[in-house]
């Protein structure tokens, strides 16, 4: 089973039900979420004590009947009342009211009679059939209390009066007039002798005797700080008739003996919020609740256990003689807590005892809280192999558990300089942190964490600029690429060469030199043989300049130049020279052909030959063909793309209509046309309307 548990010392507190959700979901989304939870193992193994133990928005108050068989709760929105039957483990019924419930009390031993104080100054009496009677009070009510001995119902309101409604006579009695002009926050009745206590806004508590119908005493609650204004928000009585407890708006709880005006115990809740409820559990324990936390204290004031939901608490109810608590809160689901040390589970959920016993038998993470997990390699480094098999090393999976204190001692013995190394690392970190604040020159990536892939950072800097490179390097998503050595780019690897065939290691700034073809190599040899004389003279003239330049260069720069880079640069220059020489040679040959064509054209005009075609005529013919192609391709633009694709744009033109050929007519045809009409078509290719195509022939 899946139970969320917390520990306060040796006391375990189990959250049996209640989700940490403070807002409602739409119905369709709630159904969808439940369908998605069908494969959740924790959800399938959950414990659902009471079905529909929730409200649509929040719950205000919850109480258990005197017979311990039912629980009644009020909540919103819409304002409604829920009744849960423990024997059926579910909701018995729900009722909607006109106004939101402020407080309620159960009159009978079961749920059949109850009184509800609404926030519209009305009091509703509910029975089995629903609303039995509704009455109103002059001012807004805050708390209810019922005295079963004289059948008086006391209502504390925002005024200086305690309204009394006698349910036996069915009428309002003379109210109790308080000394304070300010309102009353809470009212409670002692179950033993019927003493009435009223918590007031001025920080006092008034006690009224219901038999004498007069004030018996007034208690001034001491302030924890001088000149601090606070209110008494709640009160409670102990079952022995002498114990009294009250809570204040500044988060303090006071315990009294009715025979003394001095508190026997004062406890600070710690959050400074008003105490919403305080009650006695057993003879030696009590619980105080504010909106964040419910704390259970021992009689001497020490903390026994605590219950802390993630939503604000509105009310807390304890099932007597058990360890179960119900909690009304600002969440959708009401919470259920179970403390086995405080008492057994109720009879209707006695299976909880067996579940909690099984959970306590399983080892928890707190058993290994002071231990450290080490592997076999760590054992070898610490040189404690002789401890394997002893109680010092507890074997677990692929390693061992070792006490933290022993680990520190063994580590110091194996590495005496470990503290010194740690100190050096800390000093280095602080120095690096100070270096980050120094002013640096622009043009470089400003990041001290740049440890690997500096070439990649420089490449981004050249391509996108300093701002873009700085943003990429300092981005958290790419931090490990420039810090972790595992992400170092290996330019010598086969994968890198396959992905980057153009670039080569050591030559990232220049383009790859293309290999020479056989024709280019032969042209190179021929050009070199012709220009040997020129190159020798040029070398002599440039030798002086190169010597002067070499003297100005640094010796360090010469060492940095790679031999492979020099060879490739030399080949590139030679290839450029060859292309220039080939272009000059082609232009020269074209000029010679033109001159020859002009000379042969003049000779051909003097002595023409039948079958000979001069070179000049061939050139004119080629020029004519090219001119026609240009006219055809006029308005067309061809764009070539890097992947071998091409895009052709052109201006569409209408096709020229060919002139129709007229049919030649004889004189006899013209004469017959004048007499009998037209019998033949004037133009060739015209469609004939007659079915018989040979009619006019």
């Amino acid at each position: 089973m899946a139970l969320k548990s917390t520990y306060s010392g040796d006391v375990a507190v189990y959250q049996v039900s209640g989700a940490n959700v403070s807002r409602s979901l739409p119905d369709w989304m709630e159904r969808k979420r439940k369908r998605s939870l069908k494969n959740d193992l924790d959800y399938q193994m959950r414990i659902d004590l009471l079905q529909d133990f929730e409200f649509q928005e929040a719950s205000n108050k919850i109480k258990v009947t005197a017979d311990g068989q039912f629980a009644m709760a009020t909540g919103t929105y819409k304002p409604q009342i829920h009744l849960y039957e423990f024997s059926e483990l579910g909701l018995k019924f729900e009722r909607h009211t006109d106004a939101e419930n402020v407080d309620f009390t159960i009159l009978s031993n079961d749920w059949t009679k109850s009184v509800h104080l609404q926030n519209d100054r009305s009091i509703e009496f509910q029975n089995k059939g629903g609303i039995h009677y509704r009455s109103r009070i002059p001012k807004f009510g805050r708390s209810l209390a019922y005295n079963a001995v004289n059948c008086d119902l006391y209502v504390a309101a925002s005024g200086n009066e305690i309204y009394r409604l006698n349910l036996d006579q069915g009428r309002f009695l003379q109210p109790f007039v308080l000394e304070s002009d300010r309102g009353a926050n809470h009212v409670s009745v002692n179950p033993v002798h019927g003493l009435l206590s009223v918590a007031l806004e001025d920080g006092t508590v008034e006690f009224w005797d219901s038999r004498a119908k007069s004030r018996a005493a007034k208690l001034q609650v001491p302030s924890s700080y001088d000149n601090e204004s606070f209110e008494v928000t709640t009160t409670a009585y102990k079952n022995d008739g002498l114990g009294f407890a009250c809570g204040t708006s500044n988060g303090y709880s006071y315990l009294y003996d009715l025979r003394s005006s001095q508190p026997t115990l004062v406890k600070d809740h710690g959050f400074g919020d008003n105490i919403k409820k305080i009650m006695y559990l057993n003879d030696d324990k009590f619980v105080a609740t504010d909106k964040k936390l419910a704390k259970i204290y021992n009689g001497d004031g020490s903390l026994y256990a605590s219950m802390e939901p993630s939503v604000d608490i509105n009310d807390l109810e304890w099932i007597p003689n058990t360890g179960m608590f119900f909690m009304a809160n600002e969440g959708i689901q009401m919470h259920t807590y179970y403390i086995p040390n405080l008492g057994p589970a109720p009879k209707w959920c006695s299976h909880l005892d067996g579940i909690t016993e099984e959970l306590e038998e399983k080892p928890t993470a707190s058993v290994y809280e002071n231990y450290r997990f080490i592997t076999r390699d760590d054992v070898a480094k610490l040189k404690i192999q002789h401890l394997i098999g002893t109680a010092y090393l507890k074997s677990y999976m692929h390693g061992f558990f070792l006490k933290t204190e022993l680990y520190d001692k063994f580590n110091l013995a194996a590495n005496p300089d470990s503290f010194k190394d740690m100190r050096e690392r800390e000093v280095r970190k602080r120095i690096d942190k100070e270096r980050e604040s120094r002013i640096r020159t622009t043009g470089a990536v400003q990041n001290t964490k740049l440890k690997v892939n500096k070439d990649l950072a420089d490449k981004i800097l050249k391509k996108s600029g300093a701002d873009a490179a700085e943003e990429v390097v300092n981005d958290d998503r790419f931090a490990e690429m420039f810090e972790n050595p595992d992400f170092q780019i290996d330019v010598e690897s086969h994968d890198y060469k396959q992905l980057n065939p153009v670039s080569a290691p050591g030559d990232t700034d220049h383009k790859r030199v293309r290999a020479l073809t056989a024709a280019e190599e032969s042209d190179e040899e021929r050009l070199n043989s012709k220009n040997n004389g020129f190159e020798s003279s040029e070398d002599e003239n440039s030798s002086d300049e190169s010597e002067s330049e070499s003297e100005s260069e640094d010796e360090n720069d010469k060492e940095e130049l790679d031999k492979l880079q020099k060879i490739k640069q030399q080949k590139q220059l030679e290839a450029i020279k060859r292309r220039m020489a080939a272009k000059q040679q082609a232009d020269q040959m074209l000029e010679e052909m033109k001159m020859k064509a002009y000379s042969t054209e003049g000779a051909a005009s003097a002595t023409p030959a039948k079958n000979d075609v001069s070179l000049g005529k061939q050139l004119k013919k080629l020029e004519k063909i090219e001119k026609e192609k240009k006219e055809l391709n006029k308005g067309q633009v061809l764009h070539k793309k890097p992947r071998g694709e091409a895009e052709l744009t052109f201006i569409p033109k209408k096709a020229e209509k060919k002139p129709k050929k007229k049919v030649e007519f004889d004189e006899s045809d013209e004469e017959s046309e004048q007499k009998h009409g037209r019998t033949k078509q004037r133009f060739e290719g015209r469609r004939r309307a007659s079915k018989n195509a040979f009619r006019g022939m």
Side-chain angles (χ1 to χ4, degrees):
M1 296 295 179
L3 280 180
K4 183 180 178 182
S5 60
T6 57
Y7 285 85
S8 178
D10 296 333
V11 180
V13 180
Y14 295 95
Q15 182 177 340
V16 181
S17 65
N20 298 325
V21 179
S22 59
R23 60 184 179 86
S24 60
L25 296 175
D27 294 339
W28 61 270
M29 190 177 292
E30 185 70 20
R31 290 193 297 269
K32 184 178 180 181
R33 186 178 67 85
K34 287 182 178 179
R35 285 196 300 269
S36 64
L37 290 173
K38 65 181 180 180
N39 296 324
D40 190 353
L41 185 61
D42 292 340
Y43 181 76
Q44 292 175 1
M45 297 178 65
R46 75 192 187 282
I47 297 175
D48 205 356
L49 289 182
L50 298 174
Q51 296 292 327
D52 299 325
F53 197 59
E54 60 184 19
F55 285 87
Q56 294 180 356
E57 291 294 334
S59 50
N60 297 329
K61 296 286 183 178
I62 184 169
K63 293 183 185 297
V64 178
T65 57
D67 58 2
Q69 298 299 321
F70 301 91
M72 183 176 289
T74 60
T76 189
Y77 181 81
K78 299 179 180 179
Q80 49 192 303
I81 302 169
H82 287 185
L83 182 71
Y84 299 93
E85 187 173 359
F86 295 151
S87 60
E88 300 295 334
L89 300 178
L91 180 66
K92 186 176 181 64
F93 67 81
E94 63 178 16
R95 293 175 182 173
H96 293 265
T97 57
D98 296 334
E100 189 173 348
N101 192 282
V102 177
D103 194 8
F104 74 94
T105 183
I106 301 174
L107 303 178
S108 61
N109 194 37
D110 55 3
W111 62 273
T112 53
K113 297 178 183 179
S114 60
V115 183
H116 299 267
L117 178 64
Q118 308 291 325
N119 63 356
D120 61 347
R121 297 188 294 112
S122 63
I123 301 174
E124 287 187 1
F125 294 87
Q126 299 268 350
N127 58 10
K128 286 185 178 181
I131 298 177
H132 175 71
Y133 183 76
R134 179 185 287 114
S135 180
R136 292 176 68 86
I137 55 177
K139 294 187 179 181
F140 291 97
R142 295 178 179 177
S143 178
L144 280 177
Y146 177 66
N147 190 352
V149 176
N150 56 8
C151 298
D152 280 351
L153 180 69
Y154 302 102
V155 183
S158 57
N160 62 342
E161 294 179 338
I162 300 297
Y163 303 109
R164 293 192 302 150
L165 178 60
N166 189 276
L167 303 185
D168 183 24
Q169 302 176 18
R171 65 185 181 92
F172 280 97
L173 303 179
Q174 187 72 20
F176 292 156
V177 180
L178 306 173
E179 286 187 0
S180 174
D181 295 334
R182 304 173 68 178
N185 291 324
H186 190 265
V187 60
S188 60
V189 178
N190 195 311
V192 177
H193 46 70
L195 184 66
L196 181 69
S197 62
V198 183
L200 302 177
E201 291 184 2
D202 59 355
T204 61
V205 179
E206 290 190 9
F207 296 93
W208 288 75
D209 188 354
S210 59
R211 296 169 295 181
K213 300 178 180 59
S214 61
R215 183 183 301 104
K218 184 176 181 180
L219 175 65
Q220 179 66 48
V221 178
S223 174
S224 55
Y225 299 99
D226 295 337
N227 300 325
E228 181 187 10
S229 60
F230 63 93
E231 302 176 9
V232 180
T233 56
T234 182
T235 59
Y237 284 103
K238 201 173 182 180
N239 290 331
D240 60 359
L242 295 177
F244 172 76
C246 63
T248 61
S249 60
N250 55 1
Y252 280 84
S253 301
Y254 298 86
L255 269 66
Y256 288 89
D257 190 314
L258 291 178
R259 296 167 291 186
S260 172
S261 61
Q262 297 299 322
T264 58
L265 182 65
V266 180
K267 293 300 297 183
D268 183 7
H269 207 69
F271 294 101
D273 298 323
N274 60 326
I275 302 298
K276 291 199 171 185
K277 190 165 187 178
I278 189 169
M279 58 181 174
Y280 287 93
L281 301 181
N282 294 323
D283 294 337
D284 58 342
K285 291 181 179 61
F286 71 97
V287 59
T289 307
D290 67 352
K291 68 177 183 179
K292 295 181 180 179
L293 187 67
K295 290 184 178 181
I296 302 174
Y297 296 98
N298 292 313
D300 56 355
S302 60
L303 181 65
Y304 180 76
S306 62
M307 296 169 284
E308 184 178 5
S310 61
V311 290
D312 291 346
I313 303 172
N314 289 331
D315 192 18
L316 184 70
E317 179 69 6
W318 174 56
I319 301 178
N321 303 320
T322 67
M324 183 165 288
F325 293 85
F326 290 146
M327 185 180 291
N329 50 59
E330 289 296 324
I332 300 172
Q333 297 181 358
M334 290 184 286
H335 288 58
T336 304
Y337 290 91
Y338 177 53
I339 304 176
N341 293 16
L342 197 61
K347 292 181 180 179
W348 53 271
C349 60
S350 57
H351 58 278
L352 275 180
D353 290 330
I355 295 172
T356 53
E357 287 177 3
E358 291 178 2
L359 292 175
E360 290 176 356
E361 289 176 0
K362 294 180 181 179
T364 58
S366 60
V367 176
Y368 302 101
E369 186 176 359
N370 298 324
Y371 285 82
R372 185 186 182 100
F373 180 79
I374 58 175
T375 61
R376 291 186 177 273
D377 295 337
D378 297 333
V379 172
K381 290 179 182 178
L382 297 175
K383 300 177 182 179
I384 54 175
Q385 296 92 336
H386 60 282
L387 295 179
I388 296 176
T390 62
Y392 296 102
L393 287 178
K394 297 181 180 181
S395 60
Y396 182 76
M397 294 178 67
H398 60 282
F400 305 93
F401 274 112
L402 179 66
K403 284 188 176 181
T404 307
E405 298 177 359
L406 290 176
Y407 176 82
D408 296 336
K409 293 179 180 179
F410 291 143
N411 188 25
L412 185 61
N415 303 307
D417 298 333
S418 59
F419 179 77
K420 183 179 179 181
D421 296 340
M422 184 182 68
R423 186 175 180 277
E424 290 179 356
R425 285 195 298 270
E426 292 295 329
V427 171
R428 195 178 298 110
K429 284 181 182 178
R430 292 185 181 181
I431 292 173
D432 293 340
K433 201 175 278 187
E434 291 178 358
R435 284 177 179 172
E436 290 180 2
S437 62
R438 295 180 182 175
I439 301 174
R440 299 180 180 85
T441 58
T442 57
V445 180
Q446 305 297 328
N447 193 348
T448 57
K449 297 181 179 180
L450 193 63
K451 299 177 182 179
V452 295
N453 294 329
K454 295 183 180 180
D455 296 337
L456 178 61
D458 295 338
K459 190 176 181 180
I460 298 172
L461 177 66
K462 292 178 182 178
K463 187 175 181 180
S464 305
D467 296 336
E470 188 77 19
E471 185 177 356
V472 170
V473 172
N474 293 326
D475 197 338
D476 295 338
R477 297 173 296 175
F478 314 114
E480 291 192 1
M481 185 184 292
F482 300 98
E483 297 177 11
N484 194 344
D486 295 337
F487 291 93
Q488 175 67 43
I489 298 174
D490 186 9
V491 295
E492 298 292 339
S493 63
H494 176 72
D495 295 336
Y496 180 83
K497 292 178 181 178
Q498 290 291 326
L499 295 172
N500 302 277
V502 177
S503 61
D507 189 24
T508 56
D509 297 334
H510 301 283
K511 293 182 179 179
R512 183 173 60 89
V513 180
R514 182 175 59 84
L516 301 178
T517 61
E520 288 176 346
E521 289 178 357
S522 62
D523 293 339
E524 184 182 3
E525 292 175 359
R526 183 165 53 81
L527 290 172
N528 289 336
S529 62
K530 287 183 179 181
N531 298 328
N532 277 336
F534 296 104
E535 289 178 358
S536 61
S537 61
E538 289 176 359
D539 292 340
E540 290 175 0
N541 295 332
S542 62
S543 61
D544 299 333
E545 297 177 0
S546 63
E547 287 177 2
S548 61
E549 290 176 359
S550 62
E551 289 176 0
S552 62
E553 290 178 350
D554 244 353
E555 293 180 0
N556 295 331
D557 295 335
K558 288 181 181 180
E559 294 176 357
E560 293 178 357
L561 291 174
D562 194 14
K563 293 181 180 181
L564 181 62
Q565 186 175 357
K566 287 182 180 180
I567 293 170
K568 289 183 178 180
Q569 289 178 356
Q570 187 175 359
K571 285 184 179 181
Q572 193 174 11
L573 292 173
E574 290 174 357
I576 293 170
K577 286 181 181 180
R578 287 197 302 273
R579 293 192 190 98
M580 294 296 293
K583 187 177 180 182
Q584 291 177 3
Q585 187 178 3
D587 294 341
Q588 188 177 359
M589 290 175 66
L590 185 60
E591 290 293 333
E592 290 177 359
M593 290 174 66
K594 286 183 179 180
M595 293 299 293
K596 189 176 181 181
Y598 293 143
S599 62
T600 54
E601 187 178 358
S605 61
T607 57
K610 292 182 180 179
N611 296 328
D612 293 338
V613 180
S614 63
L615 185 60
K617 287 183 180 180
Q618 291 181 0
L619 289 173
K620 285 183 179 181
K621 190 176 181 180
L622 291 172
E623 289 176 358
K624 187 178 180 181
I625 293 169
E626 289 179 359
K627 189 175 182 181
E628 289 177 356
K629 285 182 179 180
K630 287 182 180 178
E631 289 179 357
L632 288 173
N633 298 331
K634 191 174 183 181
Q636 297 180 1
V637 180
L638 183 65
H639 297 281
K640 291 186 178 181
K641 295 186 177 180
R643 295 185 179 181
E645 301 172 355
E647 182 180 350
L648 179 65
T649 59
F650 61 92
I651 301 172
K653 295 181 180 179
K654 292 183 179 180
E656 296 180 358
K657 295 183 179 180
K658 296 182 180 179
K660 297 181 179 180
K661 294 181 180 181
K662 289 187 177 183
V663 180
E664 296 180 358
F665 294 94
D666 297 336
E667 294 178 358
S668 59
D669 295 333
E670 292 178 357
E671 291 176 0
S672 63
E673 185 178 350
Q674 292 176 1
K675 292 179 181 180
H676 307 287
R678 187 185 303 169
T679 58
K680 291 184 179 181
Q681 61 180 358
R682 293 181 179 181
F683 301 98
E684 289 183 356
R686 185 174 180 183
R687 186 178 179 275
R688 302 182 185 189
S690 174
K691 293 182 180 179
N692 191 354
F694 302 98
R695 178 177 291 179
M697 297 179 65

